[in-house]
Amino acid sequence: MNSNLKKELSITACKVRMGVIEGTHCAKSGHPGGSLSAADIMTYLYFSQMNVDPQNPNKPDRDRFVLSKGHVAPALYATLAHRGFFPVEELKTLRKIGSRLQGHPDMKKIPGVDMSSGSLGQGISAACGMAKAAKLTGADYRVYAMLGDGEIQEGQVWEAAMFASHYQLDNLCVLVDNNGLQIDGNIKDVMSPYPIDKKFEAFGFHVINIDGHDFDQIEAAYKEACTVKGKPTAIIAKTVKGKGVSFMENQASWHGTAPNDEQYEIAMKELGEQLAALEK
Amino acid sequence: MAEIKKVATRDSYGATLAELAAEIPNLVVLDADLAGATKTAKFKAACPERFIDCGIAEGNMMGVAAGLAAAGMIPFASSFAMFAAGRAFEQVRNSIGYPHLNVKIGATHAGISVGEDGATHQCCEDIALMRTIPGMVVINPADDVEARAAVRAAAQYVGPVYLRFGRMAVPVFNDPETYHFELGKGIVLREGKDVTVVATGLMVAEAIEAGKMLEEKGIDARIINIHTIKPLDEELICKAASETGKVITIEEHSVIGGLGDAVCAAVCENGIGCKVVKMGVHDEFGHSGPGGDLITEFGLRAANIVEEACKLLGK
């Protein structure tokens, strides 16, 4: 990746993280931990990889993104807002009565959301349906799905994985945000899904392991996925839950807790400093 | 008397999908390893490229159908009622119902007439489950003619539809030349002033027969076929309830949450003082046996309707 793009993406990802903190703080609820772990990948997808048009969010040939781990909606909303799908100011309405920004993504309300999601395990199936539709109609869009590492404990994920492989959906690329933590603690302790890469390989996927905070690796993985023929790709991204906010990093307790006023100030100060350093 | 033609509504489902293959280019059919039983194999034979077998994975099938619909296709997702409405309830609710996607759920083998497979496969709860999902249309056709028309109407309607079909061959009483299906509109099959029988699905044929038997007893029964349980034709039902003062509902489904409850709610909410007798499966599971024998055993025959009507009228 060229250094200008990397700098731009890093700056945007930092702003997305600030949007996550802003939204969850205003809502006094929500899921900051997994939103922060997913921020770099979502930023890359919407600002570098995907064919989308904020002025025409439903254009038929757009690439699709399905947030199967729908609880990290704050990251998706912040990404969409910064990409121009709706005003950034609206992030402050997260989870409030009358807001379009529901606790989990609602495709009927928010421009740019391709599938309603939130009940874990279901998004990947919808992504399979979209990819299959493209195969049936000869459309050349690609479908991206993001799953949580806890989410893959749901059996439906593996029903969908079988489907994707069986129908050779090489226009489907799923990403597992492997931040290692779920609500009740470490995924290894709650119900280990490891080895994640070997499981997807066994289900017939082309598998790529990356550091989910390294834009070079993120870009290389998604570019590689585009070249794979005859099978879907799974990118297993090692990430840090709460990434970018010191006191949230690697803490399961920040899965579904919003920052209070004091924590909000500290988090925004930290992210502000990161942003200033990046913009230098 | 000429032998009445009998057809299972699942056959009507498969046959109509096969016809629609050529008429609707973006119609796709999904099944979960039951194409031979749900009769979607007829579509598969007509249009293999738009038939998607999902294997024995109903939850994923509903999600895939949602994704196909989100991408502009018209998917018919098929399985037994037990697995389409039961096992996959939450996928239907969250992936199809909540985003109001244009998915049609073709659920065959509904009710106790499934027969020998027994209680695990005899779904008497699907109408109750599906009607609670906001925006879900629920259709339970009575015979071959109505089932064919219902499938076509569902394909034209934009939004989620649950279609309920039976396994057992049942009498074809509608005339294909004159029959007209209108979504959400009940059909008065016989006018009458003494009592109203509101029937749905396979029970409509029994209700028609009961109407004739009651006539012989000097009882003038109004017979109504409710093929669309949601949205319910409240106007027709309330008019009948207020004019006859007595209502019997009959369905091959639990009396909890099905047609009977929907009719009771409509009558009560419209302030009509009217006794309603709910016939159906009374809070119990079915069991193995020939489907027709089970219908008889569970008291869902014309003779049972006649008995209830006589009790209601004190005759």
Side-chain angles (χ1 to χ4, degrees):
Chain A
M1 181 181 286
N2 76 58
S3 57
N4 281 342
L5 177 59
K6 193 189 291 186
K7 182 179 174 181
E8 276 174 35
L9 291 175
S10 301
I11 289 168
T12 305
C14 194
K15 289 177 180 171
V16 166
R17 289 192 164 92
M18 293 171 95
V20 168
I21 298 302
E22 190 72 56
T24 53
H25 174 250
C26 287
K28 298 189 172 63
S29 69
H31 299 80
S35 294
L36 295 173
S37 67
D40 293 319
I41 296 152
M42 271 193 220
T43 300
Y44 170 76
L45 280 171
Y46 276 93
F47 285 82
S48 190
Q49 179 77 19
M50 287 169 59
N51 168 24
V52 290
D53 179 3
Q55 302 309 312
N56 187 10
N58 295 320
K59 68 171 184 164
D61 69 339
R62 72 190 184 281
D63 290 332
R64 269 76 169 169
F65 178 77
V66 180
L67 184 60
S68 203
K69 50 175 283 187
H71 55 279
V72 307
L76 178 59
Y77 297 159
T79 306
L80 289 172
H82 282 289
R83 187 70 176 79
F85 283 89
F86 55 85
V88 172
E89 191 63 18
E90 203 171 325
L91 295 175
K92 292 178 181 168
T93 70
L94 177 70
R95 290 177 165 239
K96 297 204 185 301
I97 288 175
S99 172
R100 296 189 287 185
L101 307 184
Q102 295 294 296
H104 294 81
D106 181 344
M107 67 186 287
K108 291 289 181 201
K109 292 198 166 78
I110 313 161
V113 172
D114 292 312
M115 182 66 204
S116 300
S117 61
S119 178
L120 294 177
Q122 297 193 22
I124 184 176
S125 296
C128 284
M130 293 172 183
K132 180 66 180 163
K135 292 287 181 191
L136 287 167
T137 59
D140 67 355
Y141 64 76
R142 292 183 63 77
V143 184
Y144 297 95
M146 178 182 278
L147 287 82
D149 52 4
E151 179 185 10
I152 64 174
Q153 292 160 355
E154 288 281 3
Q156 185 176 346
V157 169
W158 303 103
E159 295 181 3
M162 253 186 288
F163 183 96
S165 173
H166 182 80
Y167 286 106
Q168 303 181 338
L169 303 179
D170 51 20
N171 52 352
L172 173 71
C173 183
V174 307
L175 180 134
V176 178
D177 181 9
N178 184 200
N179 62 37
L181 298 170
Q182 59 190 117
I183 303 180
D184 276 355
N186 193 309
I187 60 168
K188 279 187 203 161
D189 301 327
V190 176
M191 180 54 64
S192 177
Y194 293 117
I196 300 172
D197 50 359
K198 294 282 185 295
K199 283 191 172 72
F200 275 98
E201 258 170 39
F203 275 78
F205 279 64
H206 176 71
V207 176
I208 308 168
N209 284 290
I210 62 164
D211 173 344
H213 301 304
D214 179 329
F215 283 113
D216 288 319
Q217 291 188 35
I218 296 170
E219 179 183 63
Y222 277 114
K223 298 283 184 221
E224 182 179 323
C226 292
T227 67
V228 175
K229 297 294 169 212
K231 55 163 74 173
T233 295
I235 300 172
I236 318 302
K238 188 80 200 74
T239 60
V240 173
K241 195 153 188 159
K243 174 77 175 175
V245 176
S246 61
F247 59 90
M248 290 186 177
E249 289 192 357
N250 291 313
Q251 300 294 320
S253 58
W254 283 103
H255 175 91
T257 312
N260 62 25
D261 291 349
E262 189 189 344
Q263 291 160 335
Y264 167 80
E265 293 299 336
I266 298 168
M268 290 302 265
K269 183 167 175 287
E270 286 185 15
L271 291 167
E273 285 165 4
Q274 290 168 34
L275 185 62
L278 287 164
E279 283 177 333
K280 251 193 247 170
Chain B
M1 195 175 125
E3 188 70 18
I4 297 170
K5 188 176 149 198
K6 285 189 171 185
V7 176
T9 51
R10 60 174 166 147
D11 280 303
S12 325
Y13 175 55
T16 309
L17 289 178
E19 288 168 16
L20 291 174
E23 298 171 29
I24 305 177
N26 59 337
L27 186 147
V28 290
V29 174
L30 299 88
D31 209 306
D33 191 42
L34 288 170
T38 63
K39 302 299 177 186
T40 60
K42 292 177 185 176
F43 178 90
K44 185 183 180 181
C47 187
E49 67 280 9
R50 278 187 276 136
F51 177 81
I52 305 167
D53 205 322
C54 296
I56 310 165
E58 296 80 9
N60 178 58
M61 176 174 72
M62 294 304 174
V64 168
L68 285 160
M73 311 298 280
I74 304 177
F76 277 71
S78 319
S79 183
F80 291 177
M82 188 71 256
F83 314 125
R87 175 183 287 252
F89 173 78
E90 203 237 315
Q91 284 83 1
V92 172
R93 186 221 185 244
N94 277 326
S95 285
I96 296 171
Y98 179 48
H100 200 73
L101 287 167
N102 194 23
V103 175
K104 319 303 167 185
I105 299 160
T108 69
H109 293 62
I112 52 171
S113 62
V114 163
E116 287 83 352
D117 276 355
T120 53
H121 287 55
Q122 294 165 345
C123 188
C124 295
E125 301 85 11
D126 55 325
I127 295 173
L129 288 166
M130 289 296 111
R131 49 186 287 263
T132 61
I133 298 174
M136 179 68 74
V137 168
V138 179
I139 303 176
N140 185 27
D143 76 344
D144 176 53
V145 174
E146 188 162 274
R148 286 169 180 266
V151 174
R152 287 181 170 275
Q156 293 304 321
Y157 172 83
V158 179
V161 178
Y162 180 80
L163 292 151
R164 185 183 211 242
F165 305 105
R167 170 180 181 267
M168 190 172 71
V170 291
V172 182
F173 60 86
N174 283 303
D175 178 356
E177 300 300 319
T178 57
Y179 179 81
H180 175 66
F181 180 93
E182 194 178 343
L183 200 131
K185 292 290 176 199
I187 299 168
V188 178
L189 294 167
R190 186 187 188 284
E191 286 293 352
K193 59 180 187 328
D194 296 335
V195 61
T196 299
V197 180
V198 182
T200 187
L202 310 192
M203 295 298 104
V204 177
E206 298 294 335
I208 293 168
E209 188 59 28
K212 293 176 192 161
M213 290 160 72
L214 287 166
E215 188 175 335
E216 286 168 16
K217 290 178 179 291
I219 295 171
D220 190 18
R222 186 175 307 187
I223 310 296
I224 294 177
N225 169 13
I226 291 293
H227 51 64
T228 309
I229 293 168
K230 187 185 172 192
L232 187 69
D233 191 345
E234 291 196 17
E235 195 183 333
L236 187 77
I237 286 167
C238 290
K239 182 169 179 283
S242 61
E243 286 174 6
T244 65
K246 294 174 183 64
V247 173
I248 295 169
T249 63
I250 182 161
E251 60 200 303
E252 194 204 357
H253 182 272
S254 172
V255 293
I256 300 169
L259 171 73
D261 274 0
V263 167
C264 282
V267 169
C268 283
E269 284 173 344
N270 285 283
I272 297 160
C274 168
K275 167 94 174 166
V276 178
V277 173
K278 295 190 293 183
M279 296 178 68
V281 177
H282 285 269
D283 202 20
E284 61 181 319
F285 291 106
H287 55 79
S288 291
D293 292 357
L294 290 172
I295 296 288
T296 305
E297 184 189 322
F298 278 75
L300 300 174
R301 290 294 183 194
N304 305 106
I305 299 172
V306 170
E307 197 181 323
E308 291 294 345
C310 290
K311 257 195 273 178
L312 256 182
L313 293 161
K315 292 192 178 176

